[in-house]
Amino acid sequence: MNTDILTKENILNKIDLQDAFNHYLQPYHNKGVLKHGKLISNPFLGEKQKTPSFNIYKAKSGNWKYKDFATGDEGDIFDLVMRLKQCDFREALIMINQDFSLNLSYDTPKVSFEIQLKEAWQSEDLKYWLPYGIKESILKHFRVSAIQNYTRINTPGKPNSFNSSSQNPIYGYKISEDCYKIYSPLSSRSRFAWLGNKPEAYIFGYEQLPKTGNRVFITGGEKDVLSLYAHNEAAICFNSETANPPPKIMDNLKARFKEVIVLYDIDHTGITQSIKLSSNYGLHRMLLPEKLMKDKGKDISDFYALGHNLSIAEVKIEMAEPLEEIQLLSTKTLAKENDYMPLLLETQKVLTKRKAKLIHKTPPLLFHNDVGILYPRTINVIQGKAGVHKSRLAETICSALIKKEYCDSDLLNFRRNTQQAVTVCYVDTERNLTEQFPYALQQILKKTGYQREDTPEDFDYISLLQVPRKDRFSALTSYIRRVKQMYSGHVIIILDVITDCIPDFNRSSDSMQLIDLMNDSINSEDVTFLALIHENPGSTDKARGHLGTELLNKATTAIQIGFEKDNNRRPTDLIVLNVLKFRGGKRPEPFHIKYCEQTNGLIEADADLIDESVRSRRTKADLFEIQQQISRMLRSSIQSRTLVEELASFFDCSERTIRERLQECIDKRIPIANGKGVPSVLQKKKEGKEVFYSLAPIQRGQKQKTMQL
């Protein structure tokens, strides 16, 4: 074995696993060096655990692993890196190799085979495929070749050669330049063999799928894929029926096709595995008639070869079992004498069934630059100071969700999931009814391909402006109830602005009443919320009131919009969208836009404007800019040298300057918003030999200092 190649085994031989775990977990705790069994909060969770239950431990095998006793999360160092960095296995290997300077080569081993393809398809080579409806053009489309001979070199000096003949034809599925899957259908020894570097996740037919379609089949083998394609059906297969498909692929298929159907062999293995796959991912199953077995057939290609088609009555489709939804108790339907035990026990039953299945991540409703940004049954936030175009951003998102397919409007790279029908309900509370809100509605329709006179069925809107503030919560509740009754599909409710929907956004009872209404709706109905909220005036980034704090706690995605500032902290024309919170994975990078007077809307900022702003703020480590950057970076405790190096690199200044600015933030107790938007102060603490910086929330009644600018 070559010890210089990047492999899992070579990495394990070169690193200390306990050190590796400590390296990647350091930003997520304040406990110094983690030892066997030392508990910390689970780093995969969006919020800290009240009772930490995540630890690393040395297994009986001698390898270090992680486990969370509360959530059931467990795995090795590679699993940890894949989850923390949102990457695949290969990317995790590369990352560990770079982080620990292992100097392992990315070069793959020398290909250990030789292959001779036939120059062209001959009639004798096509005889095997024709009964299944598979023609030469299809074979070429899927990169299938007839093979003259091939040689496998298992060990140096001991090659094994195989020759094709009329009694034993050999075919090859070309996976890459250095990999083939060999198919010898009439061989008495082995029908399949791999040549070269077998891929970790093998999917045949995926590249040939249409972008979208009515249905796609997951079937048992390559020949089945080819046969289905020959009969105008889209299909893929994995390496075998027992293979566990990558969740990302399943998400992709569900987003692109209206139906994803499992069509495996009708033998014991095929039936068992199709039930398992269907149950885990909520997929339909197609069942071929049992009479196929009597004709010595068992799969879809045999089915076609015997002259059948999928429209015959004997072909059955077993619909996917809907994944159980936990119906939460309505805020207005209390149990008799406050006895919630029946509800709790029923919920426990549902959870017991649900946890036994593979949890399938629901596809997003809205993408931004191909990153899912808005997910079904969630609460989401757009926050920013007054006058930073929050409503125009919401209008752009609204347009992207209801846009006609042929419309090519510039919508800031937002696009909807075309496989998920939605209705958008826009609730406005601020703009007047004579000009401002009607004009905003016109702008939404204009960007979607509609005329201003049109009334799309998937777009609803109301204004609460004329409703007294004390009655707005009741009016909103009635509207949401009406929306649930009117629209059968998924509904996205935009609240612009949410603080105007209740009597007092600083009163906890009012705030929690609205939060409970939203939580109740997303758990019991196909509803998603996008709430707009103002930030407090001044330098803090906190959303207004008690409602703002609770809203950010409950949010799945929180987007902050605001003007970039120049060296003198005056707003520029450049607007930045910063994702403060993102439960869908790794937080997306900030995105720059600007206001366009010609279209009276938002457009992408050009590169020159962005570069000018970046150069401006990096030439001077302004204390206010330092404060803003700390707010973005410090989501948890961070080592002093790491923070100083990253800030010095960002602002292109000396580390000494950065250390002086950080100390000034500490000495003046300058308020800095933490990851939840809560005003906090910077503090540093020594753990062993290391110094760590963190943000500590300012307690009520605690004196704050205001920056003198």
Side-chain angles (χ1 to χ4, degrees):
M1 177 181 176
N2 191 334
T3 58
D4 296 325
I5 298 297
L6 181 62
T7 65
K8 174 181 178 180
E9 292 74 16
N10 287 340
I11 286 179
L12 292 175
N13 289 332
K14 286 178 175 286
I15 64 172
D16 182 291
L17 284 175
Q18 186 181 10
D19 290 345
F21 272 108
N22 271 281
H23 173 81
Y24 291 110
L25 290 173
Q26 190 66 66
Y28 301 95
H29 65 89
N30 298 317
K31 299 189 180 292
V33 176
L34 287 183
K35 298 181 180 180
H36 179 101
K38 195 170 187 177
L39 296 176
I40 64 172
S41 182
N42 191 322
F44 308 140
L45 302 180
E47 299 178 359
K48 285 191 174 182
Q49 293 172 308
K50 293 182 179 179
T51 304
S53 55
F54 183 98
N55 79 118
I56 63 173
Y57 67 97
K58 193 170 186 178
K60 293 181 180 179
S61 63
N63 289 333
W64 283 80
K65 296 186 177 182
Y66 70 84
K67 184 176 179 64
D68 190 314
F69 298 102
T71 65
D73 292 326
E74 59 181 322
D76 59 17
I77 188 65
F78 305 101
D79 297 315
L80 181 81
V81 174
M82 285 190 286
R83 290 197 62 177
L84 288 180
K85 306 299 182 181
Q86 295 292 305
C87 63
D88 59 27
F89 181 74
R90 176 71 176 175
E91 291 168 336
L93 296 182
I94 294 173
M95 194 171 300
I96 295 172
N97 184 43
Q98 293 173 342
D99 291 346
F100 288 89
S101 302
L102 303 181
N103 297 319
L104 294 173
S105 172
Y106 300 161
D107 296 334
T108 54
K110 185 178 180 180
V111 178
S112 57
F113 72 91
E114 296 175 356
I115 190 168
Q116 179 65 47
L117 306 180
K118 293 186 178 180
E119 293 184 1
W121 280 94
Q122 305 297 324
S123 57
E124 62 178 14
D125 295 315
L126 292 170
K127 284 181 181 179
Y128 172 76
W129 302 98
L130 292 178
Y132 308 108
I134 303 169
K135 299 179 181 179
E136 179 180 352
S137 59
I138 296 175
L139 294 166
K140 289 182 177 180
H141 183 60
F142 283 84
R143 301 196 301 176
V144 185
S145 301
I147 295 176
Q148 187 69 45
N149 57 70
Y150 70 91
T151 300
R152 299 177 67 179
I153 307 172
N154 296 328
T155 55
K158 294 184 179 181
N160 292 322
S161 298
F162 301 86
N163 297 305
S164 175
S165 66
S166 57
Q167 292 77 30
N168 183 29
I170 302 176
Y171 307 100
Y173 302 109
K174 186 177 182 179
I175 311 305
S176 64
E177 291 300 326
D178 58 358
C179 181
Y180 282 83
K181 186 175 182 180
I182 300 299
Y183 179 42
S184 305
L186 305 183
S187 173
S188 58
R189 297 176 58 188
S190 177
R191 291 194 302 155
F192 295 101
W194 282 94
L195 300 181
N197 301 306
K198 178 182 175 182
E200 293 174 8
Y202 171 67
I203 307 173
F204 181 79
Y206 190 75
E207 295 179 1
Q208 289 79 13
L209 288 177
K211 290 185 178 180
T212 59
N214 289 324
R215 67 182 184 182
V216 61
F217 288 94
I218 299 176
T219 190
E222 293 84 0
K223 185 176 65 175
D224 296 330
V225 172
L226 299 172
S227 190
L228 282 162
Y229 183 86
H231 293 82
N232 301 313
E233 300 282 2
I236 64 167
C237 74
F238 306 112
N239 190 42
S240 69
E241 292 177 336
T242 59
N244 190 27
K248 288 183 179 180
I249 295 298
M250 304 306 290
D251 285 344
N252 185 281
L253 293 178
K254 282 192 168 185
R256 293 165 58 184
F257 296 89
K258 295 179 180 178
E259 292 182 321
V260 182
I261 304 173
V262 184
L263 178 54
Y264 280 176
D265 296 358
I266 56 174
D267 57 11
H268 175 73
T269 300
I271 293 174
T272 302
Q273 293 302 317
S274 68
I275 292 174
K276 180 180 178 181
L277 188 62
S278 172
S279 175
N280 285 342
Y281 289 97
L283 309 179
H284 301 331
R285 292 174 63 227
M286 179 171 282
L287 307 176
L288 299 176
E290 292 183 3
K291 68 178 183 180
L292 185 62
M293 298 284 281
K294 297 179 181 179
D295 296 328
K296 298 183 179 180
K298 65 173 183 176
D299 55 33
I300 184 61
S301 54
D302 295 332
F303 183 75
Y304 282 131
L306 291 168
H308 305 301
N309 61 74
L310 294 181
S311 63
I312 65 173
E314 290 90 340
V315 175
K316 306 293 184 183
I317 293 184
E318 186 178 280
M319 305 302 287
E321 289 187 15
L323 301 177
E324 289 98 337
E325 303 290 352
I326 300 175
Q327 301 295 325
L328 295 188
L329 193 67
S330 170
T331 55
K332 297 211 172 186
T333 308
L334 298 179
K336 292 182 179 180
E337 299 179 356
N338 291 329
D339 181 11
Y340 289 96
M341 191 53 63
L343 171 69
L344 296 176
L345 294 177
E346 183 60 30
T347 302
Q348 185 184 58
K349 290 180 182 178
V350 174
L351 288 172
T352 300
K353 292 181 181 179
R354 189 72 184 92
K355 77 172 180 60
K357 297 183 178 182
L358 182 65
I359 304 299
H360 177 63
K361 187 176 180 181
T362 306
L365 301 169
L366 183 75
F367 296 89
H368 182 251
N369 287 331
D370 294 326
V371 175
I373 203 75
L374 195 66
Y375 286 84
R377 297 190 167 200
T378 58
I379 297 173
N380 307 273
V381 182
I382 295 175
Q383 72 172 62
K385 297 289 192 294
V388 295
H389 303 293
K390 293 187 296 294
S391 293
R392 285 194 172 92
L393 175 60
E395 292 163 17
T396 303
I397 290 174
C398 180
S399 296
L401 289 165
I402 64 173
K403 182 174 72 73
K404 289 185 175 181
E405 291 187 8
Y406 64 80
C407 181
D408 58 355
S409 297
D410 176 18
L411 299 175
L412 304 179
N413 283 325
F414 287 105
R415 64 177 180 86
R416 68 183 176 91
N417 182 347
T418 57
Q419 302 304 314
Q420 173 70 67
V422 299
T423 298
V424 177
C425 301
Y426 204 114
V427 180
D428 187 81
T429 66
E430 289 190 324
R431 289 169 284 193
N432 69 49
L433 307 180
T434 56
E435 175 187 345
Q436 294 170 344
F437 190 40
Y439 182 76
L441 296 175
Q442 288 181 354
Q443 290 294 98
I444 291 173
L445 293 177
K446 179 181 178 181
K447 295 175 183 177
T448 60
Y450 289 102
Q451 301 297 318
R452 65 188 182 192
E453 299 86 3
D454 294 336
T455 306
E457 295 181 356
D458 55 357
F459 185 38
D460 201 292
Y461 43 86
I462 61 165
S463 172
L464 298 180
L465 191 64
Q466 293 177 302
V467 180
R469 183 177 289 273
K470 66 181 179 63
D471 297 327
R472 286 184 181 178
F473 176 77
S474 177
L476 178 63
T477 304
S478 299
Y479 176 67
I480 292 175
R481 187 183 305 117
R482 172 183 175 273
V483 163
K484 294 176 183 177
Q485 295 171 348
M486 285 186 60
Y487 302 106
S488 57
H490 199 91
V491 178
I492 299 176
I493 300 175
I494 300 176
L495 303 177
D496 183 7
V497 293
I498 191 172
T499 47
D500 287 341
C501 295
I502 54 177
D504 187 348
F505 55 77
N506 273 316
R507 187 186 301 155
S508 61
S509 58
D510 290 352
S511 299
M512 295 314 300
Q513 191 177 26
L514 180 52
I515 294 291
D516 287 344
L517 171 65
M518 298 166 71
N519 270 328
D520 188 22
S521 298
I522 66 175
N523 281 282
S524 60
E525 306 287 346
D526 284 332
V527 174
T528 293
F529 287 92
L530 176 60
L532 278 67
I533 190 168
H534 296 302
E535 291 178 345
N536 291 329
S539 61
T540 178
D541 290 336
K542 183 187 179 303
R544 297 186 72 184
H546 180 273
L547 178 59
T549 301
E550 290 301 321
L551 194 60
L552 192 64
N553 288 338
K554 302 299 186 295
T556 294
T557 300
I559 301 173
Q560 182 187 48
I561 180 172
F563 290 109
E564 288 277 27
K565 294 182 173 61
D566 60 19
N567 278 342
N568 298 314
R569 294 188 53 251
R570 293 174 299 192
T572 66
D573 292 333
L574 189 65
I575 302 170
V576 61
L577 302 187
N578 183 40
V579 180
L580 298 178
K581 184 178 181 182
F582 187 57
R583 287 180 175 168
K586 181 181 178 182
R587 285 193 306 145
E589 293 296 320
F591 178 65
H592 292 90
I593 59 178
K594 66 178 181 179
Y595 172 71
C596 176
E597 291 186 357
Q598 293 179 338
T599 62
N600 195 21
L602 301 175
I603 61 174
E604 289 186 69
D606 55 83
D608 291 340
L609 182 61
I610 297 173
D611 290 343
E612 180 182 348
S613 174
V614 171
R615 287 194 301 271
S616 173
R617 71 169 182 264
R618 287 188 179 182
T619 55
K620 179 181 177 182
D622 179 81
L623 189 58
F624 180 80
E625 296 296 339
I626 289 280
Q627 171 196 357
Q628 298 298 306
Q629 193 63 15
I630 291 173
S631 177
R632 296 187 181 101
M633 291 177 60
L634 253 67
R635 302 299 169 178
S636 60
S637 177
I638 187 172
Q639 287 180 319
S640 170
R641 63 175 181 273
T642 301
L643 179 62
V644 171
E645 287 174 359
E646 291 191 14
L647 288 174
S649 174
F650 183 85
F651 289 102
D652 193 21
C653 64
S654 69
E655 293 186 4
R656 178 180 177 180
T657 299
I658 294 299
R659 293 185 189 278
E660 290 175 352
R661 296 289 189 271
L662 293 176
Q663 191 60 45
E664 190 174 354
C665 288
I666 294 174
D667 294 341
K668 292 184 177 180
R669 296 187 59 79
I670 296 171
I672 301 174
N674 66 10
K676 297 180 180 180
V678 178
S680 306
V681 291
L682 184 66
Q683 62 180 14
K684 64 179 180 180
K685 184 178 180 182
K686 193 170 184 180
E687 293 278 353
K689 296 182 179 179
E690 294 289 345
V691 175
F692 293 87
Y693 282 98
S694 62
L695 290 173
I698 298 173
Q699 304 299 320
R700 285 189 176 182
Q702 189 174 352
K703 185 178 179 181
Q704 299 182 29
K705 285 186 176 289
T706 303
M707 285 185 61
Q708 301 298 320
L709 302 174

